[in-house]
Amino acid sequence: MNLVSADTLGPGARDDLRAIYEQSFDERLRSPFDDLLRDSVLVLADPRPHGMAVLRELGPTGWVFLRYFVVAAERRGDGVGARLWKLLTQAMRDAGHTRIVFDVEDPARTDDPAEAGIRRRRIGFYTRLGAQLLPVKGYTPPHGEEEHPLLLMAADLAVETTRIHGGDLRDVVLAVYRHRYGLDPENPVVRKTLRQNTF
């Protein structure tokens, strides 16, 4: 399996990719599929798609935001997700990026034990592969629900991962709000998040 751009897929493979995406995410978490193609979409394929990652550059920071990361349901648990992550992080290093930032749903923010377990396993997957949970309180994307803030995670792409804290952590939060969501530091959503944290 190789990592290829979604632009190189034929119509049938693109339909397969759309099916993987739509079957993997609840409708409330999905953007329209065609909107994804405005960002960088990398596909794990052989040549049939088995997973994808959707990325957006975070302005001039050298970082990228991972909007979606998904593996076909029938391929989960057999190492395909880890392979996609490995190829993705190498491709980002090769492109000169130094960090991948993304958000995940908080296991503590659901009353459904099964859903909480899924969220914990998702965080565990990324953590095993070198990502870290960032100590940011009250991070809520502008389209999210205020009472259900998300968790931010990041993976440094340097050989040795360092803890992200202090001013660096503040820069991550500001970069995500500005370059992922188009919000400047004076936006009420951003100001509220900054007030809840001491960077």
Side-chain angles (χ1 to χ4, degrees), residues 177 184-196:
Y177 277 128
D184 67 47
E186 295 306 311
N187 183 283
V189 171
V190 181
R191 292 177 68 183
K192 183 175 180 182
T193 301
L194 295 178
R195 278 197 307 271
Q196 293 182 59

Side-chain angles (χ1 to χ4, degrees), residues 44-140:
L44 187 64
D46 71 349
R48 182 175 167 257
H50 294 285
M52 74 171 183
V54 180
L55 301 124
R56 179 175 294 173
E57 290 190 18
L58 291 175
T61 63
W63 308 334
V64 291
F65 188 87
L66 180 62
R67 292 185 62 199
Y68 294 98
F69 182 93
V70 63
V71 170
E74 68 273 10
R75 298 307 307 265
R76 292 176 195 155
D78 65 2
V80 173
R83 176 149 176 80
L84 175 57
W85 182 261
K86 181 180 177 184
L87 292 172
L88 170 65
T89 54
Q90 187 58 56
M92 293 301 97
R93 278 188 204 96
D94 293 348
H97 297 294
T98 58
R99 181 176 289 161
I100 296 176
V101 183
F102 53 101
D103 50 39
V104 292
E105 292 179 298
D106 188 344
R109 299 285 183 162
T110 179
D111 295 327
D112 180 353
E115 176 62 23
I118 290 168
R119 294 177 183 186
R120 279 192 298 275
R121 285 192 298 279
R122 186 176 297 131
I123 292 168
F125 167 80
Y126 290 121
T127 303
R128 282 191 305 278
L129 294 171
Q132 59 185 286
L133 271 173
L134 301 181
V136 177
K137 297 178 208 153
Y139 164 70
T140 307

